[in-house]
Amino acid sequence: MSRAVAGPEIERLIQLLARLPGLGPRSARRAALHLIKKRESLMAPLNTAMGDVLGRIVECRVCGNLDVSDPCTVCTDPGRESATLFVVADVADLWALERTGVHRARYHVLGGVLSPLDGIGPDDLTIAKLIERVPREGVAEVILALGATVDGQTTAHYITDLLRGLDVKVTRLAQGVPMGGELDYLDEGTLSAAIRARTPL
Ligand code: ZN
């Protein structure tokens, strides 16, 4: 245990920052010091922004996104292509896909993936709600944007089976060589997926 360099209030701030994903105790200390130095231009506005958001966060009843309005900003955006639905495991995946700016589709957040080992079954996810949404909202294509893990792929197959019989095209994200990736750095699984998903030039 390192010795405290500041009062308990500041140590508490550091401990809380250290709980953020991607921040260890050392970077939390650096972040806290940065906030303290920039207290007028950064800490105060951050405090206000957090206060504005806290207590107003709701889960969108349509797609499962987290926002300060329900339905959320994405669901009420008139510029969305309503016939295409991205199915994602988590809100983080929705935000990641939005960051690409490639597709103006809508979303469905499952709340996880099927995982028999962790006791997560279909009823723990919003799969039934998805199957209802597709015909009701006239969805023409469901894009399964789930992880390339065993559980992610199991979930994708499960949903594909349920959607069979409905008049909807089901696709999934391509898997393979990452942009800028050198072939000899890839693991065998990624490389064989890339060979299987090869496309004509
Ligand atoms: Zn929504």
Side-chain angles (χ1 to χ4, degrees), residues 65-127:
N65 189 18
L66 293 173
D67 204 345
V68 291
S69 61
D70 175 23
C72 73
T73 307
V74 175
C75 285
T76 51
D77 177 357
R80 296 277 159 175
E81 211 180 282
S82 59
T84 314
L85 204 59
F86 267 111
V87 174
V88 294
D90 195 81
V91 174
D93 306 322
L94 187 165
W95 290 21
L97 287 167
E98 279 295 288
R99 246 186 358 250
T100 68
V102 171
H103 213 304
R104 306 269 298 152
R106 290 180 306 143
Y107 294 88
H108 188 87
V109 180
L110 292 174
V113 286
L114 295 173
S115 177
L117 283 178
D118 299 317
I120 300 171
D123 293 343
D124 299 307
L125 308 175
T126 61
I127 293 177

Side-chain angles (χ1 to χ4, degrees), residues 125-136:
L125 308 175
T126 61
I127 293 177
K129 210 169 145 188
L130 168 68
I131 308 303
E132 279 170 32
R133 271 189 85 181
V134 169
R136 193 181 59 226

